[in-house]
Amino acid sequence: SSSQGSGPQSLSSCRPIENIPIEMSQIEGSSAKPSLFSRVGSSILSTARSNLRPGAGLYSLGFGVAAGVAISGLVYVGRTVSVMLFDHEYYKLQSRKRYFEKQLIFTREQEETQAAHYLAFMAAEYDPAATRMPFKSLDAKYRF
């Protein structure tokens, strides 16, 4: 008897199941269409590839934005250094504020002194007898 025989194939000649190539089209029964997400993703990628080359509008806009951010950063650093090293306006303003506070305190002291002199003048002119009712004695609350 031969090794191939007329009956079922022998086990050694059979291929295992995992080695059999099965295409998705055979399983689904028709050609598989790409999903919506893969179509949208591929269109976005192709658009990005065509627009992110030198000379394209989107590339130029991106380059301009990057250059603007870099220049703005340099301006910010330059102004910070300028204020830190060369701006003495702060000291002038602080000196003026201190001088103004001294003037304010001086004028308040002058006002207090004038108010005290006014009260002393009014007290010197105070005549308690003028506050009593005619022909009656002076009430104790009007006495010094």
Side-chain angles (χ1 to χ4, degrees), residues 30-59:
S30 65
S31 64
K33 289 192 324 186
S35 69
L36 175 68
F37 290 116
S38 66
R39 282 185 285 158
V40 170
S42 65
S43 69
I44 289 173
L45 282 175
S46 66
T47 305
R49 280 190 197 115
S50 64
N51 284 323
L52 293 180
R53 293 184 179 157
L58 191 60
Y59 179 84

Side-chain angles (χ1 to χ4, degrees), residues 24-116:
M24 292 299 291
S25 62
Q26 291 175 345
I27 293 175
E28 293 180 359
S30 65
S31 64
K33 289 192 324 186
S35 69
L36 175 68
F37 290 116
S38 66
R39 282 185 285 158
V40 170
S42 65
S43 69
I44 289 173
L45 282 175
S46 66
T47 305
R49 280 190 197 115
S50 64
N51 284 323
L52 293 180
R53 293 184 179 157
L58 191 60
Y59 179 84
S60 298
L61 284 175
F63 194 86
V65 166
V69 168
I71 290 172
S72 298
L74 288 174
V75 168
Y76 178 76
V77 168
R79 287 185 176 183
T80 303
V81 168
S82 171
V83 166
M84 288 174 56
L85 299 179
F86 306 113
D87 186 21
H88 303 296
E89 193 70 22
Y90 171 77
Y91 299 113
K92 293 177 189 175
L93 290 175
Q94 290 300 324
S95 175
R96 289 176 186 159
K97 284 180 184 178
R98 284 193 301 270
Y99 182 75
F100 173 73
E101 287 175 352
K102 288 178 183 178
Q103 276 187 321
L104 192 63
I105 290 171
F106 177 75
T107 55
R108 284 186 183 162
E109 288 175 354
Q110 292 292 318
E111 289 172 358
E112 288 174 4
T113 304
Q114 289 173 355

